[in-house]
């Protein structure tokens, strides 16, 4: 009965990222940039104005040898649901340029509506949004290799991870063409998920019991970033190391972990 109810829920795409598997290789970052035509500069050393929809952070436990430990944390947009689709960035945008999809749970950016006020960047607690300070310039010949399914962005607007939404659209188009109403788990996967050589990223419909993420998100080692803010993100992380879970959750010392909203 419960399973049947869950199957009738709308889709809610999300990820479970196993931090004990991630080696920090950065393949997800590179795959994301190539898939989504993310612009880059000759010198990317100034991270304040670089654009990286998927960014891998390095965390340390601040202990000395032999107790020193590190963890790599890949951070895409968390596709926050907030309460009933009120993700922080969607709520503040005066141009309805960022949108919460009730069909998929994906937070999208509609580039042609954005006028660059950057309210959304101020509202996002995960620093997952990026402003285009320049028009994209591709090395000679590279413009021929851009992904034709993703529009490049112009100077003056904000962009962010879309969960490779164009892949969802293609998969749904194909299913409809073949007379199917819906798609299977493997038909829609993000570029970062497919590129990860360690298999650290699992992507799917959090509401669908047939998808791996549905069970993984309930694992006792699963947590979300800044749970206490109530942003209700769709990215779950997993680690069996307590210091990692605490660092990600960002609890105050005496604070109890916030209750999970599945
Ligand atoms: S992580 Fe930031 S950009 Fe992504 S949905 Fe949440 S508030 Fe919006
Ligand atoms: S920068 Fe663009 S998307 Fe962000 S709040 Fe302003 S208009 Fe909306």
């Amino acid at each position: 009965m419960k399973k049947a109810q869950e199957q009738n829920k709308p889709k809610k795409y999300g990820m479970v990222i196993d931090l004990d598997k991630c080696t920090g290789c950065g393949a997800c970052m590179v795959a994301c940039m190539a898939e989504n035509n993310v612009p880059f500069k000759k010198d990317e050393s100034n991270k304040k104005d670089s654009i990286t929809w998927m960014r891998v952070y390095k965390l340390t436990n601040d202990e000395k040898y032999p107790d020193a430990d590190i963890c790599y944390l890949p951070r895409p947009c968390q596709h926050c649901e907030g309460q009933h689709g009120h993700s922080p960035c969607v709520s503040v945008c005066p141009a309805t340029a960022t949108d919460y999809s009730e069909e998929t749970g994906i937070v999208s950016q509609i580039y042609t509506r954005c006028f660059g006020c950057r309210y959304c960047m101020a509202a996002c607690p995960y620093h997952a949004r990026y402003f285009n300070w320049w028009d994209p310039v591709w090395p000679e010949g590279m413009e021929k290799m851009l992904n034709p399914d993703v529009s490049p962005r112009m100077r003056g607007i904000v962009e962010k991870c879309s969960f490779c939404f164009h892949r969802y659209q293609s998969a749904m188009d194909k299913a409809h063409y073949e007379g199917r109403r819906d798609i299977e788990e493997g038909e829609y996967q993000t570029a970062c998920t497919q590129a990860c050589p360690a298999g650290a990223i699992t992507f799917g419909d959090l509401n669908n019991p047939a998808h791996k993420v549905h069970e993984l998100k309930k694992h006792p080692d699963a947590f979300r970033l800044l749970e206490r803010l109530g942003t209700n993100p769709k990215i779950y992380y997993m680690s069996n190391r307590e210091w990692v879970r605490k660092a990600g959750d960002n609890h105050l010392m005496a604070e109890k972990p916030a209750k999970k909203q599945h």
Side-chain angles (χ1 to χ4, degrees):
M1 176 71 184
K2 194 168 173 232
K3 277 206 162 176
Q5 273 171 354
E6 279 177 323
Q7 265 155 355
N8 288 332
K9 282 186 182 174
K11 290 179 217 167
K12 203 156 103 165
Y13 281 104
M15 279 176 185
V16 179
I17 304 180
D18 190 335
L19 300 179
D20 297 338
K21 285 187 183 164
C22 175
T23 61
C25 70
C28 53
M29 295 169 66
V30 175
C32 172
M33 293 188 85
E35 176 73 18
N36 293 295
N37 300 332
V38 176
F40 54 90
K41 294 173 296 174
K42 209 169 178 182
D43 179 0
E44 280 280 341
S45 55
N46 181 358
K47 295 297 172 204
K48 283 194 195 138
D49 63 5
S50 66
I51 298 179
T52 324
W53 291 8
M54 172 63 117
R55 177 163 288 179
V56 179
Y57 290 91
K58 182 179 167 188
L59 310 180
T60 62
N61 65 347
D62 277 341
E63 298 285 344
K64 293 201 169 58
Y65 177 83
D67 298 320
D69 193 13
I70 58 168
C71 167
Y72 293 99
L73 186 142
R75 191 257 33 226
C77 164
Q78 306 287 301
H79 293 272
C80 310
E81 185 179 353
Q83 298 304 319
H84 312 296
H86 289 271
S87 72
C89 57
V90 173
S91 305
V92 298
C93 178
T96 56
T98 180
D99 177 64
Y100 184 87
S101 160
E102 297 293 344
E103 182 190 329
T104 59
I106 294 173
V107 177
S108 330
Q109 183 74 358
I110 304 155
Y111 307 123
T112 44
R113 289 187 191 163
C114 175
F115 58 87
C117 68
R118 288 172 274 158
Y119 282 6
C120 55
M121 290 176 71
C124 173
Y126 301 101
H127 301 286
R129 291 181 158 263
Y130 297 90
F131 186 65
N132 282 272
W133 291 96
W134 68 94
D135 280 318
V137 181
W138 311 102
E140 204 184 328
M142 197 180 153
E143 67 281 353
K144 295 189 189 127
M145 290 184 270
L146 295 180
N147 183 348
D149 293 333
V150 181
S151 55
R153 285 69 61 185
M154 62 285 213
R155 178 177 47 171
I157 64 163
V158 170
E159 61 180 72
K160 68 161 196 81
C161 153
S162 66
F163 270 173
C164 296
F165 189 66
H166 54 285
R167 289 185 171 204
Y168 174 75
Q169 289 172 313
S170 303
M172 287 298 283
D173 284 352
K174 184 167 176 282
H176 288 157
Y177 181 70
E178 292 168 358
R180 290 179 289 134
R181 290 175 67 94
D182 214 341
I183 51 176
E184 300 291 328
E185 184 178 17
E187 289 181 273
Y188 167 42
Q189 289 292 311
T190 62
C192 56
T193 306
Q194 290 182 326
C196 177
I201 307 176
T202 311
F203 178 76
D205 178 1
L206 297 165
N207 277 347
N208 189 335
H211 288 206
K212 288 189 209 86
V213 286
H214 183 265
E215 274 314 299
L216 281 176
K217 74 175 200 268
K218 298 181 195 159
H219 193 280
D221 288 343
F223 64 96
R224 298 186 292 184
L225 297 184
L226 303 176
E227 184 98 42
R228 62 217 284 271
L229 295 184
T231 49
N232 202 4
K234 293 189 203 68
I235 308 290
Y236 289 77
Y237 294 91
M238 269 170 61
S239 175
N240 59 22
R241 292 169 288 175
E242 194 188 1
W243 75 265
V244 173
R245 294 196 299 272
K246 278 191 171 163
D249 252 347
N250 204 19
H251 298 129
L252 302 179
M253 288 303 272
E255 196 177 46
K256 281 195 186 147
K259 248 189 155 180
K260 286 207 177 86
Q261 311 163 37
H262 289 300

